[in-house]
C-alpha cells in the first residue's frame, strides 16, 4: 500500500512534466510551420564541435574587415568625401558576398565566430552608412524611420519568439544566438528589401557626385525602397502574429514552475 500511494503521488508530477514537454514541442512545431524555422539536434552540434575553435578563417577576416570599414565609411560620408565613401562601401559590400560564398563552398572555413560577427558586420555597415547619409541630408527622414523601425520591430519579434521557445528561462539562453534552436529564414520580400536598401545607400552616395538630387528616378527609387520596407515589415508582423496566436501566452517553463 505504501508503494501504491507513493506511486500515486509521483504520477501527477510525471504528468506535469510530460504535459509541459508536449506543449514545448507543439509550440516549436507551430514556429517551424509559420517562420520556416529549423531545429538543430544535439548530434549535429556535437559533430560540428571541431568547427567552433576554427577562428582563423578567410570569412572571419573578411567580416572583421567589414566591421573596421564601417566607421571609416561613416567618417567619409560626414566629411563630404562621397567618392571615397562610395568606393569603401562597395568594397565592404563585396566582402559580405565573398565571405558567404567561401563559407558555403568550403566547410572547413565555417566557424562559430563567423556566424556571430558576419551579421554584426552587415548591420553595422548598413546602420552607420544609413545614419550618415541621413545626417548629411542625402536621405529623407521618413526612409530612415522605415529602415531603422523595421529592424527594431524584427529584433523585438525575434526575442519574443525565442522567449516562448525557452524550456528554462535565462538571459543567457534568451540572447544566445549560437544554440541553433530557432532559425528564421528571410523570405523573398526580406531579401529584396535588403537589396533595395543597399541600392538606396549607393544612390544617396552617388547623388552629390553625379547631381542626382533633382532626378525623378532617384526620388522614385527611394519611394520604392520605402514601400518595400513597409510591405516586408507587414509580412513579418503577420508571421509573428500567427506564431504567437498558436502558442500559449506563457512559456512552458513558467507553467511548470507554478505546478511544481
Amino acid at each position: 500500500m505504501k508503494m501504491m500511494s507513493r506511486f500515486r503521488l509521483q504520477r501527477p508530477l510525471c504528468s506535469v512534466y510530460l504535459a509541459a514537454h508536449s506543449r514545448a514541442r507543439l509550440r516549436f512545431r507551430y514556429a517551424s510551420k509559420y517562420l520556416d524555422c529549423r531545429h538543430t539536434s544535439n548530434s549535429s552540434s556535437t559533430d560540428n564541435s571541431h568547427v567552433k575553435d576554427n577562428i582563423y578563417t578567410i570569412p572571419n577576416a573578411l567580416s572583421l574587415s567589414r566591421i573596421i570599414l564601417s566607421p571609416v565609411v561613416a567618417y567619409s560620408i560626414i566629411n563630404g568625401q562621397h567618392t571615397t565613401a562610395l568606393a569603401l562601401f562597395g568594397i565592404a559590400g563585396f566582402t559580405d558576398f565573398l565571405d558567404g560564398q567561401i563559407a558555403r563552398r568550403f566547410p572547413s572555413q565555417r566557424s562559430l565566430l563567423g556566424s556571430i560577427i558576419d551579421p554584426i558586420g552587415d548591420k553595422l555597415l548598413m546602420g552607420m552608412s544609413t545614419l550618415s547619409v541621413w545626417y548629411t541630408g542625402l536621405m529623407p527622414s521618413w526612409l530612415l524611420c522605415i529602415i531603422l523601425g523595421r529592424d527594431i520591430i524584427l529584433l523585438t519579434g525575434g526575442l519574443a519568439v525565442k522567449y516562448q521557445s525557452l524550456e528554462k528561462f535565462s538571459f543567457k539562453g534568451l540572447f544566445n544566438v549560437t544554440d541553433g534552436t530557432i532559425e528564421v529564414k528571410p523570405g523573398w520580400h526580406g531579401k529584396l528589401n535588403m537589396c533595395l536598401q543597399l541600392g538606396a545607400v549607393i544612390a544617396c552616395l552617388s547623388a552629390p557626385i553625379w547631381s542626382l538630387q533633382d532626378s525623378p528616378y532617384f526620388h522614385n527609387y527611394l519611394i520604392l525602397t520605402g514601400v518595400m520596407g513597409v510591405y516586408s515589415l507587414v509580412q513579418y508582423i503577420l508571421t509573428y502574429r500567427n506564431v504567437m496566436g498558436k502558442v500559449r501566452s506563457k512559456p512552458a517553463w513558467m507553467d511548470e514552475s507554478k505546478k511544481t
Side-chain angles (χ1 to χ4, degrees):
M1 293 295 295
K2 291 183 178 180
M3 294 181 62
M4 292 295 295
S5 61
R6 188 176 301 174
F7 175 76
R8 290 175 181 175
L9 289 175
Q10 292 178 354
R11 185 177 179 181
L13 295 178
C14 181
S15 301
V16 169
Y17 173 78
L18 291 177
H21 183 67
S22 62
R23 284 197 302 270
R25 294 184 62 184
L26 179 63
R27 184 166 52 252
F28 180 79
R29 191 178 304 139
Y30 282 123
S32 301
K33 178 180 179 182
Y34 287 99
L35 281 181
D36 193 14
C37 301
R38 183 170 58 189
H39 184 267
T40 304
S41 63
N42 294 331
S43 60
S44 62
S45 61
T46 55
D47 293 339
N48 297 328
S49 60
H50 68 281
V51 181
K52 293 184 178 180
D53 297 329
N54 187 20
I55 62 175
Y56 301 104
T57 62
I58 297 177
N60 289 351
L62 294 174
S63 299
L64 184 61
S65 67
R66 189 162 60 257
I67 294 176
I68 296 174
L69 282 176
S70 297
V72 180
V73 172
Y75 177 83
S76 302
I77 296 173
I78 294 175
N79 285 273
Q81 301 173 1
H82 302 109
T83 304
T84 302
L86 183 61
L88 292 177
F89 185 82
I91 294 173
F94 180 73
T95 61
D96 184 26
F97 168 78
L98 189 60
D99 67 6
Q101 292 295 320
I102 294 176
R104 277 189 289 268
R105 296 187 180 185
F106 302 97
S108 61
Q109 293 294 308
R110 301 171 187 172
S111 66
L112 179 63
L113 178 63
S115 65
I116 298 175
I117 64 176
D118 178 59
I120 290 178
D122 297 342
K123 292 299 181 183
L124 193 62
L125 177 64
M126 281 298 301
M128 297 187 72
S129 301
T130 304
L131 286 172
S132 299
V133 293
W134 167 80
Y135 179 78
T136 55
L138 299 175
M139 176 178 288
S141 299
W142 59 265
L143 183 56
L144 175 72
C145 294
I146 291 176
I147 294 175
L148 295 184
R150 177 182 177 274
D151 289 341
I152 293 174
I153 293 175
L154 289 184
L155 178 61
T156 304
L159 289 177
V161 174
K162 186 69 176 292
Y163 175 80
Q164 291 287 337
S165 68
L166 292 177
E167 295 185 2
K168 183 178 181 182
F169 176 78
S170 66
F171 286 102
K172 181 179 180 181
L174 182 63
F175 294 99
N176 185 14
V177 298
T178 62
D179 58 358
T181 302
I182 291 180
E183 180 182 353
V184 181
K185 296 180 181 179
W188 66 267
H189 49 81
K191 296 178 181 179
L192 179 58
N193 178 72
M194 179 57 64
C195 293
L196 290 175
Q197 287 184 9
L198 288 171
V201 174
I202 295 175
C204 291
L205 290 176
S206 303
I209 300 176
W210 291 290
S211 302
L212 302 176
Q213 294 91 333
D214 298 328
S215 173
Y217 298 102
F218 172 71
H219 294 284
N220 290 336
Y221 182 82
L222 296 184
I223 293 174
L224 176 63
T225 303
V227 170
M228 192 62 209
V230 173
Y231 175 79
S232 176
L233 175 60
V234 170
Q235 293 299 317
Y236 277 117
I237 290 177
L238 293 177
T239 301
Y240 284 128
R241 183 181 178 183
N242 289 333
V243 174
M244 304 306 289
K246 295 293 183 180
V247 299
R248 291 170 57 89
S249 59
K250 295 181 181 180
W253 61 267
M254 187 174 293
D255 292 337
E256 185 179 356
S257 61
K258 286 185 178 181
K259 293 182 180 181
T260 56

